[in-house]
Amino acid sequence: METVVSGIRPTGNLHLGNYFGAVKNFLKMQEDYNCYFFIADYHSLTTHPTPADLHGNVRQVLVEYLAAGLDPEKATIYIQSDLPEVAELTLLLNMNAYVGELQRTTSFKEKVRSNPNNVNAGLLTYPVLMASDIIIHKAHKVPVGKDQEQNLEMTRKFATRFNHMYNHEYFTIPEPFNNGEALIKIPGLDGSGKMGKSDGNGIYLADSPKEIRKKVMKAVTDAGPTEQNAPLSEPIANLFTLMTAVSQPDTIDYFKEQYANCNIRYGDLKKQIAEDIVAFTNPIREKIEAIASDADYLRKVVNMGKEKAHESATKTIREVREIIGFKPF
Ligand code: TRP
């Protein structure tokens, strides 16, 4: 069975855009692949979280992914810092990662621009750490969004370079994972762009029904159709896209018809969307609350993941050390 590796940034709560994107992808992959999903807490240190925030963020992200359906019996779910082998592999790969190529990566240049007073070496070597995450389990596939494509390219480069350097086809060269079915891209509530792009345009899995209703009722609309079968403006098209994720097809048809006949009342449309979102997120929110207060369960999940991840990582490190030439006396 092919192996998939993916890291999860421990920042922020999951919104519907995350759910119908990354999470759905994970749920599908855990059925068909040998998956390693981890929370990238080493990576998050580049932004200097406080110790309390660090743990809280990791915990919340873990809770929400579990509530959304990641299954520790199917996938290996672990915390990156529980696998210090990754740090060792990073050190070893750093010897063949060139400062010039690291400086030229888009994400590094962007961070230098946006945060010139925190250009730390961890940011520079971020792609090396990410490469280690991936190749330590000899991943065949990595699900990557647009923003991570270059990092995966770097991973392929470092793995290939290692193999050439030691004249040994040791590391698997990972490919981007392409999901056959197109995922729904959930738009934000502010009329344009995707959910999560700006603050306040997202609906979170942990939001209460009251919050959800309030947010949806405030969503941007337009002045309403003035002629039969008018084309949809962007904000209205966005509301219908949101409906395709959470509403029944006949409900969607009903409102489309109302729109086409110029009888639509956006207030009713929004009420419907809000209720359908609430019905969808309610069981997930309840799970979030249950898992968040179950420290024993969380500990069990984390320990199980750590153990499974260790097995694969220690084997890789042992072999890599041997290939490099570290020998016992
Ligand atoms: N860099 C990824 C992000 O920002 C997170 C990540 C860390 C990752 N290591 C990874 C993703 C390994 C895939 C594979 O989203």
Side-chain angles (χ1 to χ4, degrees):
M1 202 199 296
E2 285 193 317
T3 295
V4 167
V5 169
S6 190
I8 301 166
R9 255 173 290 178
T11 50
N13 297 71
L14 284 175
H15 53 61
L16 288 177
N18 301 132
Y19 183 86
F20 288 100
V23 177
K24 274 238 145 154
N25 227 353
F26 283 8
L27 299 186
K28 190 160 177 283
M29 290 184 297
Q30 72 179 358
E31 301 298 329
D32 305 332
Y33 295 89
N34 174 30
C35 290
Y36 292 89
F37 299 136
F38 64 93
I39 300 182
D41 58 348
Y42 278 148
H43 275 114
S44 74
L45 297 183
T46 54
T47 60
H48 303 163
T50 66
D53 282 349
L54 179 65
H55 182 72
N57 294 344
V58 169
R59 190 179 200 276
Q60 184 62 22
V61 168
L62 176 66
V63 165
E64 294 199 356
Y65 271 86
L66 291 170
L70 278 211
D71 185 345
E73 300 290 338
K74 292 177 180 161
T76 302
I77 302 167
Y78 65 98
I79 313 297
Q80 186 186 31
S81 62
D82 273 341
L83 215 61
E85 291 87 352
V86 162
E88 179 170 354
L89 186 56
T90 301
L91 181 143
L92 300 173
L93 291 181
N94 266 338
M95 308 305 167
N96 297 308
Y98 296 100
V99 171
E101 65 188 341
L102 294 170
Q103 282 170 328
R104 281 191 299 274
T105 61
T106 328
S107 48
F108 180 71
K109 286 194 289 192
E110 254 164 38
K111 278 164 192 159
V112 170
R113 212 173 307 128
S114 63
N115 219 342
N117 44 17
N118 182 25
V119 183
N120 60 69
L123 273 181
L124 183 69
T125 57
Y126 187 110
V128 187
L129 178 54
M130 179 155 159
S132 302
D133 292 327
I134 295 168
I135 68 179
I136 203 157
H137 302 303
K138 315 232 177 84
H140 300 89
K141 294 199 159 76
V142 181
V144 281
K146 265 257 160 286
D147 64 326
Q148 298 298 313
E149 275 171 6
Q150 192 177 30
N151 281 339
L152 183 61
E153 258 328 297
M154 307 282 284
T155 300
R156 294 166 53 83
K157 194 188 267 183
F158 298 144
T160 307
R161 202 175 276 162
F162 182 96
N163 290 352
H164 284 171
M165 173 127 192
Y166 295 103
N167 199 18
H168 189 326
E169 288 305 308
Y170 179 69
F171 283 119
T172 306
I173 312 300
E175 307 270 349
F177 180 91
N178 289 317
N179 192 338
E181 299 161 50
L183 297 160
I184 311 176
K185 288 209 173 53
I186 303 289
L189 298 173
D190 49 4
S192 68
K194 58 179 191 180
M195 188 168 281
K197 207 147 207 171
S198 59
D199 284 347
N201 81 349
I203 295 176
Y204 292 85
L205 298 180
D207 280 351
S208 71
K210 199 171 151 201
E211 283 170 296
I212 291 172
R213 291 187 185 109
K214 199 167 129 196
K215 286 181 182 177
V216 175
M217 294 319 285
K218 280 205 299 207
V220 174
T221 54
D222 61 18
T226 52
E227 52 177 42
Q228 301 270 316
N229 301 311
L232 301 179
S233 67
E234 199 183 352
I236 304 304
N238 284 351
L239 290 178
F240 277 110
T241 303
L242 199 49
M243 275 194 124
T244 59
V246 294
S247 304
Q248 296 299 325
D250 52 346
T251 309
I252 302 171
D253 289 346
Y254 170 78
F255 282 99
K256 284 222 161 132
E257 209 179 293
Q258 295 287 89
Y259 183 90
N261 299 334
C262 305
N263 289 329
I264 194 157
R265 299 209 328 229
Y266 289 147
D268 294 344
L269 174 72
K270 289 183 184 179
K271 265 189 205 135
Q272 181 73 44
I273 295 175
E275 290 321 305
D276 291 340
I277 292 174
V278 168
F280 178 82
T281 54
N282 240 344
I284 302 178
R285 195 192 65 253
E286 281 166 11
K287 268 196 214 149
I288 291 175
E289 286 162 10
I291 295 173
S293 57
D294 194 344
D296 285 342
Y297 175 69
L298 283 172
R299 192 177 313 112
K300 219 161 49 195
V301 168
V302 166
N303 283 338
M304 199 165 100
K306 175 169 151 175
E307 217 168 279
K308 283 202 270 177
H310 247 111
E311 222 173 273
S312 124
T314 47
K315 178 168 180 287
T316 302
I317 287 295
R318 196 184 333 111
E319 291 165 350
V320 164
R321 286 174 148 266
E322 211 176 286
I323 292 169
I324 286 180
F326 293 134
K327 287 218 166 78
F329 281 88

